[in-house]
Amino acid sequence: MTEPIVVLTGAGISRESGLATFRDADGIWAKVSIEEVATPEAFRANPQRVHQFYNDRREQLQGGEVQPNAAHEALVRLEREYPGEVLVVTQNIDDLHERAGQENLIHMHGELLKMRCERCSTVHDWRTDADTTTACPGCGTAGRLRPHVVWFGEMPFEMDRIQEALARCGTFLSIGTSGTVYPAAGFVQLAKTMGDSYAIEANLEPTDTSGLFDEHHSGPAGEQVPALVDRLLKGAA
Ligand code: BJW
């Protein structure tokens, strides 16, 4: 079997690397509200608050304690050893997939280590703090940089490429996402109806959308994903 595989990942895959999820009891949305930091309106109303939220997460991500875990590494093994195409679509803005070595990767909700200029639209690698006075390295305008992430009400990146891959895939694997945020939450239905694919969910616990999958595997991603990758590679051998 060498049909394309599409893997969707969410915050749960990075939990064992030390990054909080959003909707668990100890998650990000339990400490700060979506309306305060994750909408274009929030950024317009209080850009400094939103910059601070992302500055803090950028600093944590680059601290030595946050490293890719066994689940990220297993997906790299899948990409390298599977004889067909493997595309990882992540909702995560961390860089743990690329640090592990993933190459065919789409960050549909953007990247924490990038900033975008609202004036000249250029995207810049960014590892330090930003504030409302920071100048764009491209056009020099101060105060028009924003995190290169997708907030509620904004269009996720590379949707055409994702939909095309979902329509062709033979296996759809969803890892560590609650399945509550669209359009990602609808990918399983697209993969099954457009791609006629076999859908597998791996999550700490069943989600509201588990019933849409052909298989559900409960448990930490660091345990579930390596076992699933072994199975997919064995099936392709
Ligand atoms: C483990 C684990 C371990 C724990 N191992 N598992 C009504 C109906 C349909 C849609 C809408 C609607 N009203 C509004 C919408 C649209 C809206 C939406 O979906 N809202 C819903 C909440 C209802 N969506 C949007 O606005 C999106 N854009 C859009 O639709 O554009 C269309 C458009 C059309 C025309 C014009 C313009 C636009 C954009 C969504 C942007 C999401 N942004 C965020 C924040 C930005 C990035 C950041 O700061 O990090 O992205 S929100 C947040 O949620 C983040 C995540 O990527 C996203 C998904 O969360 P995820 O990854 O699923 O995390 P959790 O915490 O929810 O789940 C983690 C799971 O892991 C849990 O199940 C745990 O059990 C599990 N877990 N430890 C394995 N060790």
Side-chain angles (χ1 to χ4, degrees):
M1 190 186 74
T2 58
E3 287 177 303
I5 298 175
V6 173
V7 183
L8 173 70
T9 65
I13 196 171
S14 296
R15 183 71 195 89
E16 290 153 77
S17 295
L19 297 177
T21 60
F22 291 92
R23 295 169 185 82
D24 289 306
D26 60 349
I28 291 174
W29 299 151
K31 299 186 176 96
V32 56
S33 78
I34 289 173
E35 293 73 23
E36 199 183 341
V37 294
T39 66
E41 294 76 23
F43 189 60
R44 273 199 295 277
N46 194 345
Q48 190 52 45
R49 172 72 189 96
V50 176
H51 277 306
Q52 193 57 53
F53 175 65
Y54 287 98
N55 287 343
D56 291 346
R57 289 171 67 193
R58 203 176 294 116
E59 186 181 341
Q60 184 196 14
L61 179 60
Q62 295 179 96
E65 281 154 35
V66 176
Q67 298 293 337
N69 64 54
H72 297 101
E73 283 157 10
L75 292 179
V76 174
R77 194 157 56 84
L78 183 66
E79 179 179 89
R80 291 184 183 158
E81 296 178 21
Y82 184 71
E85 183 190 339
V86 176
L87 172 67
V88 174
V89 178
T90 187
Q91 298 170 84
N92 300 340
I93 63 172
D94 66 55
D95 65 344
L96 296 179
H97 283 300
E98 45 273 68
R99 271 202 246 166
Q102 205 78 45
E103 288 186 354
N104 201 15
L105 173 70
I106 293 176
H107 276 280
M108 65 176 289
H109 289 165
E111 295 174 65
L112 185 54
L113 300 182
K114 290 188 176 162
M115 298 283 281
R116 182 168 84 240
C117 178
E118 291 187 309
R119 180 160 183 273
C120 70
S121 301
T122 51
V123 176
H124 302 278
D125 290 337
W126 208 272
R127 293 191 168 267
T128 54
D129 285 355
D131 62 32
T132 52
T133 65
T134 310
C136 168
C139 68
T141 308
R144 298 297 302 277
L145 285 173
R146 60 159 281 177
H148 187 52
V149 301
V150 178
W151 290 317
F152 283 101
E154 296 184 317
M155 187 61 86
F157 298 130
E158 300 204 55
M159 284 306 299
D160 288 350
R161 201 176 140 208
I162 295 169
Q163 276 167 8
E164 186 270 329
L166 291 169
R168 284 189 296 115
C169 73
T171 303
F172 175 73
L173 175 56
S174 173
I175 302 165
T177 174
S178 59
T180 49
V181 175
Y182 287 84
F187 288 174
V188 58
Q189 279 150 314
L190 285 181
K192 288 187 72 68
T193 53
M194 292 164 63
D196 197 23
S197 74
Y198 190 77
I200 305 171
E201 179 182 59
N203 203 64
L204 195 57
E205 56 197 14
T207 66
D208 289 347
T209 54
S210 293
L212 300 171
F213 290 81
D214 296 294
E215 287 180 25
H216 169 86
H217 297 262
S218 281
E223 289 172 15
Q224 295 297 330
V225 180
L228 280 168
V229 165
D230 282 346
R231 205 184 93 195
L232 289 168
L233 290 175
K234 220 172 265 167

